[in-house]
Amino acid sequence: MTLIDGKKLSKKIESNITAEVKALKAKGVTPGLAVILVGDDPASHTYVTMKNKSCENAGFYSIVRKLSKTVSQEEIIKNIQELNKDPKIDGILVQLPLPKHIDTSKILEIIDPQKDVDGFHPYNMGRVVENLDAFAPCTPAGVMEIFKEYNIDLKGKDVCVVGASNIVGKPMAALLLNANATVTITHIFTKDLASHTKKADIVIVGVGVPGLIKEDMVKEGAIVIDIGINRLENGKLVGDVDFENVSKKCSYITPVPGGVGPMTIAMLLSNTLKAAKRRVG
Ligand code: NAD
């Protein structure tokens, strides 16, 4: 069994990005990322701090606009519109989830698609589905980088994606299909989840249910990618896979933490760098 080291791979990608940023800066261009953080959700604050720190390490210009949890939709829109026009900002990220009184889809559609480094705007999502150049959502893009690094050929493979959200499962399925995999997408209403996962050469799970994928749900030699991030009551961070038992059957598996998580940030930096390079042609 090979334990996939997302931390190591993300460091490698980030160090290449840092070198590129240095070269760009010598030409007077500094990639800039703006994060909008609404409310006081501790997990969101942690993610934003991590993203901000990685940006600074890579030499980016990085700002965070913190808005109160009672902020109006109009106020968030106003902030995004300002950032859309700001020439120092190449990428805009609205940290999700937003408070319940905010229409998330509407907010994401306000972001200039050329600055949509999270890849959640329908414009970029559509381009991903059509296999055109786009900002692909960072987490699925990170998983694709893992396959590339570990020489895992997707062509003709049976892949079961568990979870079908707009930010994880759906774009993941599109990227896999673009790589000529045969993709099954499953979700909360899937009748017999195990019947799908058991047939798959590769299982990719991102649902937010600790231990959902058990050893009898994967076939011998399967590749298992765990996108889930769950904080247990005892403070431990775990994924959606019963790692201890499932890993015994796998050919490759990602740990949590240290698997897909760090790759998401590396892809955010990569998309922001791409936006900056596009800006200067
Ligand atoms: P979401 O709540 O928007 O979507 C969850 C999806 O899982 C839905 O499609 C739902 O139908 C499906 N689902 C829920 N329970 C299920 C079950 N019992 N069986 C089958 N399907 C089920 O969540 P999300 O934003 O897509 O995030 C999913 C998980 O991925 C969370 O744990 C989140 O923390 C994690 N995540 C990790 C990263 C990362 O960087 N590694 C990034 C984004 C999200």
Side-chain angles (χ1 to χ4, degrees), residues 47 139 162-165 167-169 186-189 193 206-209 212 226-230 240 260-261 264:
Y47 293 141
T139 301
V162 187
S165 69
I167 65 171
V168 178
T186 60
H187 46 78
I188 187 88
F189 299 113
L193 181 61
V207 302
V209 179
L212 178 73
D226 192 351
I227 294 174
I229 303 177
N230 310 290
D240 293 337
V260 176
T264 299

Side-chain angles (χ1 to χ4, degrees), residues 4 9 23 38 60 88 109 197 203 226:
I4 291 173
L9 175 55
V38 182
F60 288 19
K88 292 196 297 299
E109 279 199 72
T197 56
V203 177
D226 192 351

Side-chain angles (χ1 to χ4, degrees), residues 154 156-165 168-177 180-187 190-207 213:
L154 296 164
K157 293 274 163 58
D158 290 324
V159 186
C160 181
V161 177
V162 187
S165 69
V168 178
K170 284 186 206 167
M172 186 75 254
L175 293 174
L176 292 162
L177 196 54
N180 297 315
T182 302
V183 187
T184 304
I185 314 174
T186 60
H187 46 78
T190 297
K191 272 185 282 177
D192 180 2
L193 181 61
S195 71
H196 298 282
T197 56
K198 258 196 281 196
K199 280 191 295 199
D201 303 309
I202 303 174
V203 177
I204 304 177
V205 54
V207 302
I213 304 300

Side-chain angles (χ1 to χ4, degrees), residues 65 73-83 110:
R65 287 199 182 186
Q73 179 143 311
E74 290 66 37
E75 189 58 29
I76 304 178
I77 290 175
K78 201 176 122 237
N79 271 275
I80 295 172
Q81 284 168 337
E82 282 169 14
L83 294 167
I110 301 293

